[in-house]
């Protein structure tokens, strides 16, 4: 049972990112049964997520075999929002055939010499694939706007271009799921400090993250605007509370499973000519 995650976490028309909403744990076992202890509830949620992943894996096998439809899962978040952790937690039990994760870093000189969607388009899913974007084309209406590299007029043009781009993907067989991993400013502080304090995690720390953190409110407003401007029935945005990593994974697994279940996936029918073959 996935509790209709697509309805529960769909971005509202007048989205307002509030700090307290990052702690929402509506799908957790503890929400359903407040008497459960924290550790037992977490264990139950991990078990529930594992069961969802098994069902996702079975449907992904049909998607790959059918080789007609495609799925694009976009993960966006502020620094430390949990994009890498989501990919590790949800997709290590799924066959790598027909599955790709793409991490978009700062554009290269060659990428900057083209339009900003050029580097994105080559990574969209092919028939039968699930592709996960770890960051995406949305960086070009987020960091670029907050840093003042583009003005409001250019930002509006890019919203329109992104809407056209995603409509084209949808019209050519791509099912799009866009997820914003919503963490609070305090949660980000704790995660950044954890990276600093742990020698095995210091490689993840980038001093630029501290500088960007100073513009927290600007980024929250930029995300609100981008989500409102580009949410569409064929390319919906979901805002997933992500302070709890366990609950985050449970919700995203639910979203992906519900999406796959709605795609009417099946194995191709047996080829009639094969009925005369036997293997000696």
């Amino acid at each position: 049972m996935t509790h209709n995650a697509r309805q529960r976490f769909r971005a509202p028309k007048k989205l307002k990112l509030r700090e307290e909403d990052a702690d929402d744990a509506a799908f957790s076992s503890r929400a359903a049964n407040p008497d459960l202890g924290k550790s037992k509830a977490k264990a139950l949620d991990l078990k529930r997520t594992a069961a969802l992943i098994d069902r996702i894996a079975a449907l992904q096998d049909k998607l790959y075999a059918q080789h007609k439809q495609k799925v694009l899962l976009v993960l966006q978040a502020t620094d430390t929002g949990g994009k890498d952790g989501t990919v590790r937690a949800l997709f290590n039990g799924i066959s790598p055939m027909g599955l790709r994760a793409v991490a978009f870093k700062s554009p290269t000189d060659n990428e900057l010499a083209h339009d900003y969607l050029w580097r994105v388009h080559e990574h969209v899913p092919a028939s039968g694939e699930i592709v996960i974007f770890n960051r995406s084309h949305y960086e070009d209406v987020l960091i670029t706007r907050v840093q003042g590299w583009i003005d409001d007029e250019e930002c509006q043009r890019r919203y329109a271009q992104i809407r056209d781009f995603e409509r084209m993907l949808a019209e050519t067989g791509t099912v799009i799921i866009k997820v914003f991993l919503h963490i609070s400013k305090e949660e980000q502080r704790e995660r950044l400090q954890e990276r600093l304090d742990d020698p095995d995690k210091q490689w993840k720390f980038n001093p630029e993250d501290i500088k960007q953190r100073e513009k927290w409110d600007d980024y929250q407003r930029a995300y609100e605007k981008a989500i409102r401007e580009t949410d569409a029935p064929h390319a919906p945005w979901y805002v997933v509370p992500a302070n709890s990593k366990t609950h985050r994974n449970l919700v995203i697994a639910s979203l992906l499973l519900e999406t796959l279940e709605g795609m009417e996936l099946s194995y191709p029918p047996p080829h009639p000519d094969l009925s005369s073959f036997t293997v000696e």
Side-chain angles (χ1 to χ4, degrees), residues 142-166:
L142 292 165
I143 188 171
T144 55
R145 187 66 197 98
V146 172
Q147 296 299 324
W149 300 336
I150 61 173
D151 59 18
D152 283 340
E153 186 176 358
E154 174 60 20
C155 196
Q156 288 295 329
R157 276 196 294 267
R158 292 189 180 192
Y159 289 146
Q161 291 158 358
I162 288 171
R163 289 193 294 266
D164 290 341
F165 175 61
E166 291 178 347

Side-chain angles (χ1 to χ4, degrees), residues 52-117:
L52 295 177
I53 293 171
D54 286 343
R55 292 164 63 186
I56 290 169
L59 289 169
Q60 187 261 347
D61 194 56
K62 292 180 180 180
L63 175 72
Y64 183 72
Q66 197 177 56
H67 213 69
K68 292 181 180 179
Q69 300 182 79
K70 320 154 194 178
V71 176
L72 174 61
L73 172 61
V74 174
L75 299 178
Q76 283 288 156
T78 56
D79 296 322
T80 77
K83 301 177 296 297
D84 293 347
T86 298
V87 174
R88 285 194 303 270
L90 297 187
F91 297 100
N92 61 5
I94 296 176
S95 170
M97 298 295 291
L99 179 69
R100 283 190 293 124
V102 183
F104 288 95
K105 306 295 185 181
S106 297
T108 65
D109 289 343
N110 185 45
E111 289 169 343
L112 286 171
H114 294 80
D115 69 87
Y116 69 95
L117 288 172

Side-chain angles (χ1 to χ4, degrees), residues 204-270:
K204 293 182 178 181
F205 184 80
N206 184 346
E208 181 65 20
D209 293 344
I210 301 297
K211 187 176 180 180
Q212 294 302 318
R213 181 172 161 78
E214 295 173 1
K215 299 183 178 181
W216 175 270
D217 291 341
D218 294 334
Y219 274 106
Q220 297 299 293
R221 304 294 83 76
Y223 269 109
E224 289 171 354
K225 180 71 170 173
I227 291 170
R228 288 196 301 262
E229 289 283 348
T230 60
D231 181 72
H234 59 271
W237 271 106
Y238 301 97
V239 178
V240 173
N243 276 3
S244 165
K245 299 173 185 178
T246 303
H247 185 259
R248 172 200 73 199
N249 295 339
L250 178 61
V251 171
I252 297 175
S254 299
L255 286 170
L256 181 55
L257 178 59
E258 289 176 14
T259 300
L260 290 170
E261 286 178 336
M263 292 172 63
E264 300 182 355
L265 299 169
S266 62
Y267 290 111

Side-chain angles (χ1 to χ4, degrees), residues 15-39:
L15 174 64
K16 179 69 175 177
L17 295 173
R18 303 184 305 171
E19 293 283 291
E20 59 267 29
D21 291 339
D23 279 317
D24 181 13
F27 273 23
S28 69
S29 298
R30 207 172 187 190
N33 185 356
D35 293 332
L36 279 176
K38 188 174 181 179
S39 60

